[in-house]
Amino acid sequence: MASVKRNLAYSTLLTMSTYLVPLIVFPYISRVLGVGGIGIVDTVDNMIDYCILFSMMGLTSVGVREIAKNKDNPEALSQTFTDLFALNLCSTLLIAVVFGLIVALSPTLQDYGLLIPIGILKLVANLFWIEWFYNGLEEFRYITLRSIILRTIFVLAVFLLVHRETDVTVYYALFAGITVGNAVCNWYHKRTYLHWDLRRAHIKRYFKPFFMLGIFAMLSAVYFKLSLPVLSFITDNKEAGNYATATRVYQVVIALISTLTAVMIPRMSVLIKENQFDKVRQYTDVAFKLLFLFSFPIICFVELFAPDIIRLFAGAGFEGAILPMRIIMLQLIVIGAEKIIVLQLLVPLRKDNTIVKAGLAGVVVWTLLTMLLVPRFSSIGTAMVWVAAETTVLTIATIETSRSLDIRFPFRQLFLSVGFALPYLLIGWLVLMITHQPVIRILLCIPLFTAYASVLEAKVYQTGIIKTISNIIFKTSDHA
């Protein structure tokens, strides 16, 4: 368990650092670019991210799984990397050409100007990011240090170069630059691990899982990536800007939850390969404890202080984002549990068909409810639809996990965690009564919530994650 906890601690530090980027950048950017500028950037970036999903297909999951299985065999590792990268190269080139043709034939997309070429650069750079390779090797220390350095450069560049409402292109170029920077670092660093040759590539053996898990990734992305363009088309850029703003905090928070699966997938792949199912159940229990430990204080905080968060982060004109933010944040437990069950359990078990069926069911629910709710409720309806679609996926995935591994959703632990979360609401209510100043409220609440969460971790959940993070930060010990 020691190395898993240490990897989880590094990944948690990495994700905690992502909180600083929106905390520092978004309040400034939202005021400089305005709600329309935010809507335009997010609309273009969502289209590009969807292209990236098509190009990556199931590589994020398949890559981590296969690299983890072969990391102790240098020759097999090099061949696995070569096969997977060649497959990704073909898919990326195909998607880049198709998207380029769509842009050439669409006057609407051409109106976005330089944002589209910048997005295509991000698409191509993503091919060389190869984060799946380092996740499979469990190189979380390297990933953490590299990412923190690049994000720091991004923050400084935004304040130095983005000053006017017309600087939308500059901002998006800097944002895409994060992907380019990660790609350059990762591609250069890989030479210490393997020797590869595209002439020896055999893409057929990974094509089926690459394609099947890719279908699930694309179906899952419909709820988030396509929701924004659909909302913009049905309503306007202002509603799209409200919805994009409402998802900002969620995107940072879910990255923390994704830390669990990023760390656990390579370890689970090895354990399932070795039929060590007792340890699989043990790690799954720890993952759910960490999910509840991190999620409930965040959910309570956002539900109580959503108006203050929007006011501080986005400023005037974004009040329409408050209720969508509250609705979206409620699904944190749902998506966190879905990631644990699907990525941590079903992917290593190679239950690719079940995963696709769950994704298809989610899309059916999303499509039907989008037609019913979005025209009437706009961004609020879009948030409601997303929650319903993800709940559908979680339900189907949980049924399959119960059949295959006899691992059930921990409802008892969930209900206990709800009870343990009640003091968060009491603390927040008292802070709301004490002061009406948004900054003071948040500054008071964060340390109080953190202190109570630390007590819960030490006395109830007992995962050891806080001690491990402290050891890494202060270097008091080399052993987690």
Side-chain angles (χ1 to χ4, degrees), residues 61-198:
S61 300
V62 176
V64 173
R65 181 177 74 191
E66 299 302 323
I67 293 296
K69 285 166 53 181
N70 295 292
K71 65 181 180 180
D72 295 326
N73 184 332
E75 175 131 359
L77 178 66
S78 295
Q79 186 63 52
T80 300
F81 175 85
T82 300
D83 296 345
L84 290 171
F85 179 78
L87 194 54
N88 192 205
L89 174 62
C90 295
S91 61
T92 300
L93 290 176
L94 176 62
I95 297 302
V97 170
V98 171
F99 184 69
L101 289 174
I102 293 173
V103 171
L105 297 173
S106 173
T108 301
L109 292 179
Q110 292 171 21
D111 288 341
Y112 287 111
L114 290 176
L115 294 181
I116 296 297
I118 293 170
I120 293 175
L121 174 63
K122 178 184 175 182
L123 167 63
V124 174
N126 186 76
L127 168 67
F128 300 96
W129 192 338
I130 57 172
E131 196 82 326
W132 48 270
F133 175 69
Y134 294 99
N135 280 325
L137 294 176
E138 300 187 76
E139 286 288 345
F140 295 103
R141 182 177 183 275
Y142 161 75
I143 293 171
T144 300
L145 294 176
R146 182 211 67 217
S147 298
I148 289 175
I149 291 170
L150 289 174
R151 285 172 182 160
T152 302
I153 294 172
F154 166 73
V155 170
L156 294 175
V158 166
F159 284 107
L160 288 172
L161 300 175
V162 181
H163 303 294
R164 297 180 296 277
E165 191 172 346
T166 54
D167 287 338
V168 170
T169 302
V170 176
Y171 172 70
Y172 190 49
L174 294 175
F175 186 76
I178 297 176
T179 301
V180 175
N182 278 304
V184 171
C185 293
N186 280 2
W187 193 254
Y188 178 78
H189 188 59
K190 81 177 190 319
R191 75 193 194 287
T192 60
Y193 296 97
L194 50 81
H195 302 283
W196 66 290
D197 185 349
L198 276 178

Side-chain angles (χ1 to χ4, degrees), residues 259-279:
T259 296
L260 303 179
T261 52
V263 170
M264 292 292 190
I265 288 175
R267 189 55 55 92
M268 287 294 193
S269 297
V270 174
L271 291 176
I272 288 175
K273 178 184 176 182
E274 297 173 350
N275 294 319
Q276 297 187 47
F277 292 107
D278 288 340
K279 286 191 175 181

Side-chain angles (χ1 to χ4, degrees), residues 280-343:
V280 169
R281 295 184 182 91
Q282 176 189 345
Y283 285 148
T284 302
D285 181 64
V286 172
F288 273 109
K289 285 181 179 179
L290 289 168
L291 171 63
F292 298 146
L293 172 65
F294 286 120
S295 295
F296 277 105
I298 295 169
I299 291 172
C300 293
F301 182 83
V302 172
E303 297 303 320
L304 288 167
F305 299 101
D308 295 338
I309 294 169
I310 293 297
R311 194 175 300 121
L312 290 174
F313 273 69
F318 288 84
E319 290 78 12
I322 293 173
L323 185 52
M325 174 185 280
R326 282 174 163 156
I327 295 171
I328 289 169
M329 198 54 63
L330 287 174
Q331 73 171 351
L332 196 59
I333 295 293
V334 173
I335 292 187
E338 179 190 323
K339 286 181 175 292
I340 291 172
I341 291 172
V342 173
L343 298 180

Side-chain angles (χ1 to χ4, degrees), residues 208-459:
K208 183 178 178 181
F210 179 83
F211 181 73
M212 294 295 289
L213 292 175
I215 291 176
F216 175 74
M218 288 182 289
L219 292 173
S220 299
V222 166
Y223 324 138
F224 180 62
K225 299 298 181 184
L226 277 189
S227 291
L228 191 61
V230 168
L231 176 62
S232 180
F233 178 77
I234 293 175
T235 58
D236 52 40
N237 279 335
K238 183 176 181 180
E239 282 297 322
N242 284 331
Y243 183 74
T245 302
T247 63
R248 293 282 178 176
V249 174
Y250 168 81
Q251 287 175 300
V252 175
V253 173
I254 201 61
L256 178 62
I257 306 304
S258 298
T259 296
L260 303 179
T261 52
V263 170
M264 292 292 190
I265 288 175
R267 189 55 55 92
M268 287 294 193
S269 297
V270 174
L271 291 176
I272 288 175
K273 178 184 176 182
E274 297 173 350
N275 294 319
Q276 297 187 47
F277 292 107
D278 288 340
K279 286 191 175 181
V280 169
R281 295 184 182 91
Q282 176 189 345
Y283 285 148
T284 302
D285 181 64
V286 172
F288 273 109
K289 285 181 179 179
L290 289 168
L291 171 63
F292 298 146
L293 172 65
F294 286 120
S295 295
F296 277 105
I298 295 169
I299 291 172
C300 293
F301 182 83
V302 172
E303 297 303 320
L304 288 167
F305 299 101
D308 295 338
I309 294 169
I310 293 297
R311 194 175 300 121
L312 290 174
F313 273 69
F318 288 84
E319 290 78 12
I322 293 173
L323 185 52
M325 174 185 280
R326 282 174 163 156
I327 295 171
I328 289 169
M329 198 54 63
L330 287 174
Q331 73 171 351
L332 196 59
I333 295 293
V334 173
I335 292 187
E338 179 190 323
K339 286 181 175 292
I340 291 172
I341 291 172
V342 173
L343 298 180
Q344 184 175 313
L345 297 174
L346 296 184
V347 168
L349 280 170
R350 300 178 181 272
K351 296 289 184 178
D352 300 344
N353 291 334
T354 300
I355 293 171
V356 172
K357 289 177 184 177
L360 283 171
V363 168
V364 170
V365 171
W366 177 85
T367 303
L368 294 175
L369 293 182
T370 293
M371 292 188 292
L372 291 173
L373 299 179
V374 175
R376 183 175 180 181
F377 299 106
S378 301
S379 57
I380 296 171
T382 303
M384 295 166 63
V385 170
W386 189 9
V387 174
E390 296 288 4
T391 303
T392 302
V393 175
L394 174 61
T395 301
I396 295 173
T398 302
I399 292 171
E400 178 59 37
T401 306
S402 176
R403 290 173 180 169
S404 301
L405 285 174
D406 195 29
I407 294 178
R408 295 171 175 80
F409 188 88
F411 284 106
R412 181 177 179 276
Q413 195 177 102
L414 173 63
F415 294 141
L416 288 174
S417 296
V418 170
F420 293 137
L422 293 178
Y424 291 120
L425 297 176
L426 177 61
I427 293 169
W429 179 78
L430 290 174
V431 170
L432 286 171
M433 295 299 101
I434 291 171
T435 177
H436 296 288
Q437 296 297 321
V439 175
I440 296 176
R441 283 173 171 175
I442 291 175
L443 291 178
L444 277 174
C445 224
I446 289 176
L448 291 174
F449 274 35
T450 302
Y452 179 60
S454 299
V455 172
L456 281 181
E457 197 282 329
K459 302 298 183 181

